[in-house]
Amino acid sequence: MVAKQRKRQRKLSLRIKSLEFTVDYLLEKPKYEPSDPTGFNEQHHRKHIFRSLIDAIEFDQILETGTFFGNTCGFMADYSGLPIATCEFNERYFTVAQRRLSDFDKISFSLQDSRKFLEATFKTLSAKNCFIYLDAHWGEDLPLWEEIEIILRQYPGEFVIMIDDFCVPGDSDYRYDDYGPGKALDLATFGTLFSRFSLLPFFPSLAGAQETGKQRGCVVLASRGNLEAVKSVDALVAHLPENDS
Ligand SMILES: C[S@@+](CC[C@H](N)C(=O)[O-])C[C@H]1O[C@@H](n2cnc3c(N)ncnc32)[C@H](O)[C@@H]1O
């Protein structure tokens, strides 16, 4: 009984904290404003990777899972000028992001689970080459495996996928998400899925210790038609199978 009560109290206190954080954020930053740190976890090299990919490849669409307050979405819209479809399953964050990014007319927002969003999007999407940012991981339910399968099975076009919070092999200065057994964002967990779809993983070429902001790791995966262009991006380095660690 006491344990149950404690659990409920902990949940409630987390909800209050999240609510306070959201209200404070909205009061402080009611609109998305481009700035040096804003977007991609305030990471300079990550932004460099994104810019290099946008410069190297003729994308015609960006997809994002996990909008949160819209900072990365705003940065991507600002730099690329491309149409963006983004999804968020938390109603409050969805509304905040919509308000903060209301000056952008090429962003469409979906209040949806990321898997449903991707499935629905691919039913009607006419874009031929997509940059896809997968960042909807924040809790027990990790949709990443299914998100990748949906993309590979249901999107016939060319793509580059960037997954945030992914372990960079051999560089512990980059942080990553680990939600327990079978739910770590690393090659030990996702390597077989990448191999099954013949996806060569690319990682940041800069050492984690030199990255700014939150120093989150990432992995970049490309379809066959985009592979050579991604190889030419010096902000990234391919991870060949013999480098497995
Ligand atoms: C790390 S934050 C995203 C940050 C955002 N991409 C940025 O860079 O500014 C993760 C977000 O994903 C959302 N999320 C988690 N699981 C989700 C799911 N299955 N479908 C949609 N959104 C989800 C969370 O509510 C949270 O707002």
Side-chain angles (χ1 to χ4, degrees), residues 15-244:
R15 281 190 68 181
I16 292 170
K17 266 191 199 147
S18 148
L19 206 66
E20 283 177 346
F21 180 68
T22 307
V23 172
D24 290 348
Y25 202 88
L26 203 53
L27 289 173
E28 227 178 276
K29 298 177 180 177
K31 282 266 166 205
Y32 165 83
E33 297 280 354
S35 79
D36 190 33
T38 305
F40 283 115
N41 314 315
E42 309 190 347
Q43 295 179 214
H44 280 156
H45 188 73
R46 183 76 74 79
K47 287 180 163 191
H48 175 47
I49 297 173
F50 174 76
R51 288 194 199 97
S52 305
L53 290 167
I54 294 292
D55 294 349
I57 297 169
E58 259 191 61
F59 294 109
D60 48 3
Q61 175 75 45
I62 292 178
L63 304 178
E64 178 189 39
T65 64
T67 321
F68 195 37
F69 293 153
N71 283 334
T72 299
C73 192
F75 174 79
M76 294 193 293
D78 236 358
Y79 187 76
S80 70
L82 289 168
I84 302 185
T86 181
C87 75
E88 170 58 57
F89 73 175
N90 177 304
E91 204 166 345
R92 199 164 294 117
Y93 299 155
F94 164 80
T95 308
V96 169
Q98 267 190 320
R99 288 203 181 174
R100 294 189 72 240
L101 295 167
S102 59
D103 293 343
F104 292 88
D105 54 7
K106 285 192 189 171
I107 301 178
S108 70
F109 300 86
S110 296
L111 176 61
Q112 229 174 1
D113 174 83
S114 59
R115 292 152 282 205
K116 294 222 166 78
F117 161 77
L118 290 172
E119 276 172 349
T121 301
F122 294 138
K123 278 192 183 132
T124 55
L125 192 72
S126 59
K128 293 186 168 49
N129 205 335
C130 279
F131 177 83
I132 306 173
Y133 187 49
L134 299 181
D135 198 12
H137 22 266
W138 235 19
E140 296 268 296
D141 173 33
L142 182 66
L144 185 58
W145 190 283
E146 290 158 87
E147 289 174 340
I148 296 168
E149 283 191 324
I150 292 165
I151 297 165
L152 271 295
R153 297 220 163 97
Q154 297 180 26
Y155 180 57
E158 301 294 340
F159 61 80
V160 168
I161 298 171
M162 178 187 279
I163 303 171
D164 192 26
D165 307 306
F166 205 92
C167 175
V168 177
D171 192 334
S172 56
D173 288 315
Y174 278 114
R175 302 191 189 109
Y176 68 101
D177 282 354
D178 184 348
Y179 300 99
K183 289 186 187 175
L185 273 62
D186 60 15
L187 281 182
T189 309
F190 285 88
T192 50
L193 182 65
F194 298 167
S195 313
R196 198 196 312 153
F197 289 111
S198 306
L199 294 167
L200 174 65
F202 290 81
F203 291 97
S205 58
L206 187 81
Q210 288 167 43
E211 175 61 294
T212 59
K214 299 200 172 75
Q215 293 176 299
R216 307 296 299 177
C218 76
V219 64
V220 170
L221 309 160
S223 60
R224 199 179 290 256
N226 283 333
L227 201 54
E228 286 312 307
V230 173
K231 279 184 186 165
S232 76
V233 166
D234 63 8
L236 288 168
V237 59
H239 182 83
L240 302 169
E242 61 267 26
N243 294 343
D244 274 339

